[in-house]
DNA sequence: ACATATATGGACCGATCGATCCATATATAA
DNA sequence: TTATATATGGATCGATCGGTCCATATATGT
């Protein structure tokens, strides 16, 4: 997962993967079949971890809007760090694989949708909590937040200064109010 | 340029490039030195074309805010098209090359900054035209717009429906008012 | 026309790609 | 202990990678 995260799907060589997993070539192909299957498992694990963690944070948060605010501000604050340079495996994969027809690309798109679904849940809860007007289109807001996180990740990858990424994140959040 | 645009830097093979340019291997290396140099020329040409075209549109537009609105709405409307699947070479490259230290990555980051600079110009003009409050941070708004375009491009690549991308673009633009 | 410089085609290079194969090592079941 | 099934290391495969080389073709200057 970490190898695909750092290097991307195509550029991650099987030799990189073997070294990181500390197994031999036979074991990789015996256990996963091929590189694509291994990628699918890595992406699904990443997505599972991410969605679970965010769901947990959302449930534990007294305010769904506060959860969203913290998420975007914290991400913006990653500016300049090694973590920022990695980006998000889901958005990385969506960008690299794009509209390809194979299973890997389809799974990447599905993962973006999973992020939108989580944002949708947060928006609906925020509406129930009175922080977002109930007459606003929750799905449109969720898509907007996905767009915002994807854009923020690209900004971080392109080395934007912390002051700029944080200001941009604040502007993003203003739309919810 | 089109090959790097469609396939990315690493995945674009020299053989792909030769075929698209209808030249032989010797000519490529004689004219450009190596693959990286060719990529740099392609990226700079893309950036030059893009910035020139946008600058023209901005200058020709009676309203800088109208220019921004048209740009984002038109881009959102690309949803589902082949053009949408290609994305933008600049954001594609920024995402793929990330924080690498080589010249290609540096040039990709520089290109993102060029987009932000153009947005900055549009925001400042909008402020002069009274469409955006003068006390707002023009650089922050410009960064926000770059984030927005990058995010929109990622949404388009991940196959979001037209209704969703257009609604998200509208929400993006609301922030300027 | 002739000499010189540049551009081009295509064979070729070592390195690396994802993937396969087989002999051996290890785990499991009786 | 013995028979069977699974896991592993390492050599090896054909294909492809970016890049080099040289003979030939074309352009240029006189």
């Amino acid at each position: 997962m970490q190898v695909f995260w750092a290097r991307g799907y195509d550029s991650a060589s099987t030799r990189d993967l073997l070294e990181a997993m500390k197994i031999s070539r036979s074991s990789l192909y015996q256990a996963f079949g091929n590189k694509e299957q291994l990628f699918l498992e890595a992406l699904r694990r990443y997505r599972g971890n991410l969605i679970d963690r965010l769901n947990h944070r959302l449930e534990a948060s007294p305010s769904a809007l506060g959860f969203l605010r913290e998420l975007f501000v914290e991400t913006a604050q990653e500016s300049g760090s090694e973590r920022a340079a990695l980006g998000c495996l889901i958005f990385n994969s969506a960008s690299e694989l794009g509209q390809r027809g194979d299973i890997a690309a389809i799974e990447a798109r599905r993962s973006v949708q999973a992020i939108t679904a989580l944002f949708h849940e947060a928006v609906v809860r925020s509406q129930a909590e009175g922080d977002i007007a109930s007459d606003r289109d929750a799905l449109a807001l969720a898509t907007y937040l996905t767009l915002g996180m994807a854009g923020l990740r690209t900004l971080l990858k392109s080395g934007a200064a912390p002051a700029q990424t944080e200001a941009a994140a604040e502007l993003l959040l203003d739309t919810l109010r």
Side-chain angles (χ1 to χ4, degrees), chain A residues 110-146:
Chain A
R110 198 173 305 181
S111 301
V112 174
Q113 289 172 5
I115 291 177
T116 301
L118 183 130
F119 282 147
H120 185 259
E121 215 176 295
V123 168
V124 168
R125 225 192 86 186
S126 290
Q127 289 178 314
E129 290 169 354
D131 291 325
I132 296 180
S134 296
D135 61 348
R136 301 187 72 185
D137 184 343
L139 185 52
L141 284 173
T143 306
Y144 168 79
L145 287 171
T146 299

Side-chain angles (χ1 to χ4, degrees), chain A residues 51-109:
Chain A
I51 299 294
D52 283 356
R53 188 163 44 82
L54 292 182
N55 259 325
H56 201 259
R57 275 187 65 171
L58 174 57
E59 287 169 16
S61 176
S63 156
L65 184 62
F67 158 77
L68 290 171
R69 167 167 292 277
E70 286 168 18
L71 179 63
F72 277 85
V73 170
E74 282 173 15
T75 304
Q77 286 173 345
E78 287 175 7
S79 180
S81 68
E82 292 183 20
R83 175 67 187 73
L86 280 177
C88 164
L89 177 59
I90 292 176
F91 292 126
N92 291 355
S93 302
S95 175
E96 178 184 358
L97 308 178
Q99 296 281 31
R100 267 169 37 176
D102 57 26
I103 315 179
I106 292 173
E107 197 69 11
R109 276 175 262 156

